[in-house]
């Protein structure tokens, strides 16, 4: 009976689809990896190469990956997203943030609020001009515009760190940029969770007949549940990695390299478990993983600094692999012909976003008495988008099968424009403020305050640099 059951399971269509999909993924992974290296040689983020490889191998061009294969690999995509969320949370160091919290919070609020308002208007206008999205009723158009405007607030911490490492950027401007980037992405993930819950309560058909007041409370309850699940995951992971755990009792017989790999596997399994658990409870999986990462790097104990450094190293190496899979699958799922039709609308939203970031940065810097030079240049550091924005767009595409894939393609077109333009602008900003040490430029600023800010910048870049040593996916 057991043999017959096993044979039936192995011959089931689902298992066969998964086996074929995994085989194809293994075959195209080296191609995606070398495409990423090629993109880096062209001074582009590596994920650009991964996306291109996915598009080329996907069902809409060469057809190496079929539509069924892309769907069957959703479990791998969930594991990749869990690591992206964990890495985002692990970059938020509350001790460093507290030293310049007035500037960080003021600038973050200015950029986020203005970007959301401007992009909401642009997306509300352009959605009606696009295929499929233009057929939606008024409530769904509001949902599309709100979700899209939320994604437009996102900025890529990993890409920011990659540019800072390339230019050897150190100084008060660099430290302020990194703090705003990380805080803003956490804000985006929370705002996205609230958006998804409001859509579920107010737009999607409901058979529960729940009171309107309860419907308004449900989004906040979902966010709180996501945070709770993430805290439990952080506690579980810290217990498994601590020196006196059961895992530690097994590992002494292994070499240091093998021990490191086993710990990486534990991180991947626990983060994937938390991601799927949050999804099972209808919470927000990405927010749960962000909370887990935030908990891990902000715990206070005697081994805290060593544990944070080790966590960043392990997550960095995991992301170098998961980014190939995630962004390759994201490229394979893109509707290429639809993206071509959406280019004009995407370009309009891209230009509106640039204007919004410029105005929001200026207002945020002005309201916090930040220097006039920073008011002119800070917007140039806030353009690039990558892992978090793409991950949220992908989640929307899978959650709303009717209009979600078209929304995902539209967002990807805008994100790709931001990904191409953002890094060069950030490099130019570092040169103009004199913090591109790779070019042997002097750091501007004087006195004790500048020295303290420079030290803070060095700490942030050092602690986060390990998180992108071989990856630009977040």
């Amino acid at each position: 009976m057991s043999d017959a059951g096993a044979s039936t399971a192995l011959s089931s269509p689902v298992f066969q689809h998964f086996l074929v999909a995994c085989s194809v993924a293994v075959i195209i992974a080296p191609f995606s990896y070398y495409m990423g290296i090629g993109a880096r040689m062209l001074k582009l983020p590596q994920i650009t190469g991964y996306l291109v490889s996915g598009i080329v191998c996907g069902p809409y061009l060469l057809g190496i990956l079929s539509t069924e294969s892309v769907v069957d690999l959703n479990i791998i995509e969930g594991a990749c997203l869990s690591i992206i969320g964990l890495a985002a949370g692990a970059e938020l160091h509350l001790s460093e943030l507290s030293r310049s919290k007035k500037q960080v919070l003021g600038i973050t609020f200015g950029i986020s609020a203005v970007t959301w308002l401007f992009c909401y208007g642009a997306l509300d206008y352009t959605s009606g001009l696009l295929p499929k999205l233009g057929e939606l009723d008024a409530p769904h158009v509001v949902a599309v515009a709100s979700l899209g405007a939320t994604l437009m607030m996102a900025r890529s911490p990993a890409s920011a760190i990659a540019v800072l490492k390339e230019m050897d950027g150190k100084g008060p401007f660099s430290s302020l940029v990194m703090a705003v980037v990380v805080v803003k992405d956490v804000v985006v993930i929370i705002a996205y969770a609230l958006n998804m819950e409001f859509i579920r309560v107010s737009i999607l058909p409901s058979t529960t007949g729940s009171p309107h007041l309860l419907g308004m409370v449900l989004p906040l309850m979902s966010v709180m549940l996501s945070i709770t699940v993430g805290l439990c995951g952080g506690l579980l992971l810290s217990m498994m990695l601590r020196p006196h755990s059961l895992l530690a009792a097994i590992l002494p017989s292994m070499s240091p390299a093998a021990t490191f790999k086993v710990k990486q596997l534990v991180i991947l399994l626990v983060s994937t478990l938390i991601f799927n658990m949050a999804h099972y409870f209808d919470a927000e999986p990405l927010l749960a993983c962000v909370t887990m990462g935030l908990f891990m790097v902000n715990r206070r104990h005697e081994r805290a600094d060593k544990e944070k450094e080790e966590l960043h190293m392990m997550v960095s190496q995991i992301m170098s692999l998961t980014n190939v899979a995630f962004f390759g699958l994201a490229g394979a799922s893109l509707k290429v012909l639809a993206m071509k039709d959406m280019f004009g609308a995407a370009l309009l939203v891209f230009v509106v976003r640039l204007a919004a970031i410029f105005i929001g940065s200026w207002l945020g810097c002005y309201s916090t008495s930040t220097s006039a030079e920073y008011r002119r240049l800070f917007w140039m550091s806030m353009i690039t988008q990558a892992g978090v924005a793409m991950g949220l767009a992908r989640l929307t595409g899978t959650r709303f099968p009717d209009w979600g894939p078209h929304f995902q393609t539209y967002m990807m077109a805008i994100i790709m424009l931001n990904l191409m333009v953002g890094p060069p602008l950030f490099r130019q900003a570092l040169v103009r403020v004199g913090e591109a040490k790779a070019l042997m430029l002097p750091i501007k600023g004087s006195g004790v305050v500048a020295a303290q800010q420079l030290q803070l910048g060095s700490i942030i870049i050092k602690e986060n640099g390990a998180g992108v040593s071989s990856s630009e996916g977040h």
Side-chain angles (χ1 to χ4, degrees), residues 271-287:
S271 61
T272 304
L273 172 66
I274 294 302
F275 185 92
N276 286 285
M277 185 180 298
H279 181 73
Y280 176 80
F281 287 115
D282 284 334
E284 205 51 54
L286 206 56
L287 177 57

Side-chain angles (χ1 to χ4, degrees), residues 172-195:
F173 182 81
S174 302
S175 65
L176 185 60
V177 166
M178 274 309 307
V180 172
V181 164
V182 175
V183 172
K184 193 148 68 73
D185 263 16
V186 175
V187 170
V188 167
I189 292 172
I190 295 175
Y192 174 86
L194 290 172
N195 268 274

Side-chain angles (χ1 to χ4, degrees), residues 58-299:
Y60 304 102
L61 286 184
L62 295 183
I64 298 175
L65 267 177
S66 65
T67 304
E68 292 79 8
S69 298
V70 175
V71 173
D72 290 338
L73 285 172
N74 278 343
I75 185 172
I76 296 178
E77 185 179 63
C80 298
L81 278 172
S82 70
I83 293 297
I84 289 175
L86 177 67
E91 289 169 357
L92 188 58
H93 298 269
L94 299 180
S95 58
E96 279 81 28
L97 175 62
S98 64
R99 302 179 192 179
S100 55
K101 59 184 176 183
K102 178 184 176 182
Q103 280 184 311
V104 172
L105 297 179
I107 296 173
T108 299
F109 176 79
I111 297 174
S112 299
V114 177
T115 301
W116 192 93
L117 289 172
F118 277 48
C119 290
Y120 177 87
L123 289 164
D124 184 58
Y125 172 73
T126 58
S127 295
L129 308 177
L130 299 174
K132 193 63 178 181
L133 296 180
E135 302 171 5
L136 299 176
D137 55 22
H140 279 84
V141 170
V142 170
V144 167
S146 180
L147 277 175
T150 301
L151 264 61
M152 291 300 99
M153 291 159 50
R155 191 348 181 156
S156 171
S159 295
I161 299 172
V163 172
L164 290 173
K165 287 173 67 64
E166 177 187 341
M167 305 298 290
D168 196 13
K170 296 178 182 178
F173 182 81
S174 302
S175 65
L176 185 60
V177 166
M178 274 309 307
V180 172
V181 164
V182 175
V183 172
K184 193 148 68 73
D185 263 16
V186 175
V187 170
V188 167
I189 292 172
I190 295 175
Y192 174 86
L194 290 172
N195 268 274
M196 295 298 289
E197 292 306 313
F198 279 123
I199 290 173
R200 183 183 305 174
V201 170
S202 60
I203 296 179
L204 297 183
S206 176
T207 58
T208 59
S210 57
H212 181 68
L213 180 60
L214 178 60
M216 295 298 292
V217 173
L218 283 177
L220 297 177
M221 293 176 62
S222 176
V223 170
M224 294 303 299
L225 178 60
S226 305
I227 293 173
T228 302
V229 172
L231 290 174
C232 292
L235 185 61
L236 173 63
L237 187 58
S238 62
M239 289 174 61
M240 296 187 70
L241 296 179
R242 68 186 181 185
H244 304 295
S245 65
L246 177 62
L247 180 64
I250 301 173
L251 295 183
S253 60
M254 301 182 183
S255 66
T259 300
F260 191 80
K261 295 297 182 184
V262 171
K263 288 184 176 181
Q264 285 182 310
L265 180 61
V266 169
I267 291 174
L268 179 60
L269 292 177
V270 172
S271 61
T272 304
L273 172 66
I274 294 302
F275 185 92
N276 286 285
M277 185 180 298
H279 181 73
Y280 176 80
F281 287 115
D282 284 334
E284 205 51 54
L286 206 56
L287 177 57
C289 293
V290 168
T291 304
M292 182 168 61
L294 190 150
F295 174 85
M296 288 294 296
V297 299
N298 289 284
R299 292 193 312 136

